[in-house]
Amino acid sequence: MNTSSVLHNRSFLRLWIARIFSASAFQILSVVIGWQMYALTDSAFQLGFVGLAQFLPMLLLTLPAGQTADRYDRRTIVYICQLMECAVVVFLVISSIEGWITSVHLLIAAAILGACRTFEGPASAALVPDIVDREQLPQAAAWSASGMQTAMIVGPSLGGVLVIWGISTAYITTLVALLISVVLIFFVKTVHFVKKLDAVGIDTFFSGLRFVFARKIILGTISLDLFAVLLGGATALLPIFADEILKTGPTGLGLLRAAPAVGAIVVSLILTRISIEKAIGKTLFASLVVFALATILFGISRSIWLSLFALFLTGAADVVSVVIRSTLVQVNTPQEMQGRVNAVNSLFIGTSNQLGEFESGTMAGLVGAVPATIIGGVGTLAVAVIWMYWLFPVLRNLKTYSTEEG
């Protein structure tokens, strides 16, 4: 197979570009809404509510979102969600220009955007197997990971620059990005028939959770990534390291935040050209060990360059897990259940990111940022050993993406 063959699929290419524009727009919006909230209220407490307003819809709507993605046309769901996001941004533009926007308006906008992303995410991820062949899924997952990491770099950075030019300019830019994504999604064509979910009930509502928990390969991989990020995530502590430990100020903070995403982009692009099949289990655990050791290295470093290198390694190692996890889910999930299972996967990811920041902040408050980071790295190593030898030993010798479970 040609290493770039998945990009020859025009529908996948359109979806891939659309997801970059959409995810970048969401990242910019998160920065700009937070900036505007603080400008209006001068309250860190209100700023925290912005994140909560985006997280609660995900917590409450993940399972319904999975049901929706398996009941209706996934392309249409993504299309409608992005149109709703455009409507929210139009409201933000008008209210900001007219000068009558309030903190309540911002919280409602953040909540609606969070709800739209909750429905859009599983449908968008489940759309990939509808438009690419099964053997191309690992490569598609690697390209998807690189696209999302690009958005993670471009979005926040661009958001910070755009607010200098004005809040309205920033909102208009996100509106343009979302409209580009809408147009691209409109021209995506599905090629694989998907049997839609027939009846709504408690049984189908929780079927995605049951599917994941019944398959040790998928559950082991997802939970391994969850606890690794939960324990080893140092992102929430970067402002402390930049200010108090490395003494680099805002410029250093920007570099520290970008380093993991740069590492992830580099490795995800490598994974689009090489295959790790035949050694998936060993690669997964090796990447986790690298992630843990790099986290510890970052914790003990007092050099900005060594710290950047350590964070580069965490991003590089983490994306290996992302590609393996997403490919395992897509290859081993029936097409008619892709939405529900990807919704569960999204819930695990969101939980690990949100609770990981809470855990890191709490631990840092108790013992300090450096000990908290080192403890997190050691904890990640412990998780790797426990998963490898006790809870999910089947993962250790996993060679191919396709399993016989079920």
Side-chain angles (χ1 to χ4, degrees), residues 233 236-237 240 355-368 372:
L237 305 180
I240 299 175
L355 292 185
E357 291 186 5
F358 175 75
E359 180 274 335
S360 296
T362 302
M363 185 66 73
L366 292 173
V367 300

Side-chain angles (χ1 to χ4, degrees), residues 9-347:
N9 181 326
R10 291 188 178 183
S11 285
F12 175 78
L13 182 60
R14 288 166 185 153
L15 176 64
W16 183 68
I17 296 173
R19 291 175 76 179
I20 293 176
F21 273 98
S22 176
S24 296
F26 185 75
Q27 293 293 327
I28 294 171
L29 284 169
S30 296
V31 171
V32 179
I33 289 174
W35 181 277
Q36 191 172 25
M37 175 65 82
Y38 195 71
L40 286 173
T41 65
D42 197 31
S43 168
F45 187 65
Q46 289 286 343
L47 194 58
F49 272 115
V50 173
L52 185 63
Q54 292 176 339
F55 175 67
L56 283 179
M58 185 198 74
L59 193 63
L60 298 174
L61 298 175
T62 290
L63 294 181
Q67 282 270 314
T68 303
D70 286 335
R71 179 169 297 279
Y72 302 104
D73 181 69
R74 291 159 183 165
R75 185 187 68 90
T76 303
I77 294 169
V78 176
Y79 186 69
I80 291 174
C81 286
Q82 292 184 355
L83 285 176
M84 291 178 64
E85 291 163 18
C86 287
V88 172
V89 176
V90 169
F91 168 80
L92 290 171
V93 170
I94 294 173
S95 59
S96 296
I97 291 175
E98 295 293 327
W100 49 264
I101 194 167
T102 67
S103 59
V104 174
H105 292 138
L106 289 173
L107 289 176
I108 293 173
I112 295 174
L113 289 169
C116 289
R117 292 292 294 178
T118 300
F119 279 87
E120 180 186 342
S124 179
L127 190 56
V128 174
D130 293 351
I131 60 179
V132 305
D133 295 331
R134 182 185 178 90
E135 62 270 15
Q136 291 181 318
L137 285 176
Q139 191 186 58
W143 277 111
S144 296
S146 70
M148 292 303 100
Q149 292 300 327
T150 299
M152 291 295 291
I153 293 178
V154 172
S157 303
L158 190 54
V161 172
L162 288 170
V163 293
I164 299 174
W165 294 341
I167 296 293
S168 299
T169 301
Y171 284 141
I172 291 171
T173 302
T174 62
L175 180 60
V176 172
L178 286 171
L179 287 173
I180 291 172
S181 182
V182 166
V183 172
L184 288 168
I185 291 296
F186 183 79
F187 288 103
V188 168
K189 305 295 182 184
T190 59
V191 295
H192 299 294
F193 172 76
V194 181
K195 178 185 175 182
K196 299 302 177 186
L197 197 60
D198 293 324
V200 177
I202 294 297
D203 184 64
T204 57
F205 191 75
F206 291 103
S207 56
L209 281 170
R210 285 202 309 273
F211 183 91
V212 170
F213 278 87
R215 284 154 178 79
K216 289 188 175 182
I217 293 294
I218 295 178
L219 177 62
T221 307
I222 292 178
S223 60
L224 182 65
D225 185 75
L226 184 154
F227 283 101
V229 173
L230 186 65
L231 293 172
T235 304
L237 305 180
L238 291 184
I240 299 175
F241 276 90
D243 184 46
E244 299 179 8
I245 298 169
L246 299 173
K247 310 288 186 184
T248 59
T251 302
L253 177 59
L255 291 172
L256 292 173
R257 285 196 173 276
V262 172
I265 288 178
V266 170
V267 172
S268 60
L269 290 176
I270 292 173
L271 291 176
T272 65
R273 298 188 170 276
I274 66 170
S275 173
I276 58 174
E277 206 148 357
K278 309 301 183 188
I280 293 174
K282 290 181 174 61
T283 303
L284 178 63
F285 284 107
S287 69
L288 192 62
V289 169
V290 171
F291 180 87
L293 293 177
T295 300
I296 295 171
L297 177 62
F298 175 74
I300 64 177
S301 170
R302 296 298 179 271
S303 161
I304 180 63
W305 298 111
L306 184 59
S307 296
L308 288 173
F309 175 68
L311 289 174
F312 176 92
L313 289 179
T314 63
D318 184 54
V319 81
V320 175
S321 173
V322 170
V323 170
I324 291 175
R325 181 188 67 238
S326 57
T327 305
L328 279 170
V329 168
Q330 290 176 343
V331 169
N332 295 286
T333 302
Q335 279 184 271
E336 66 272 14
M337 286 193 66
Q338 286 279 341
R340 283 164 285 173
V341 175
N342 273 289
V344 174
N345 190 23
S346 297
L347 181 61

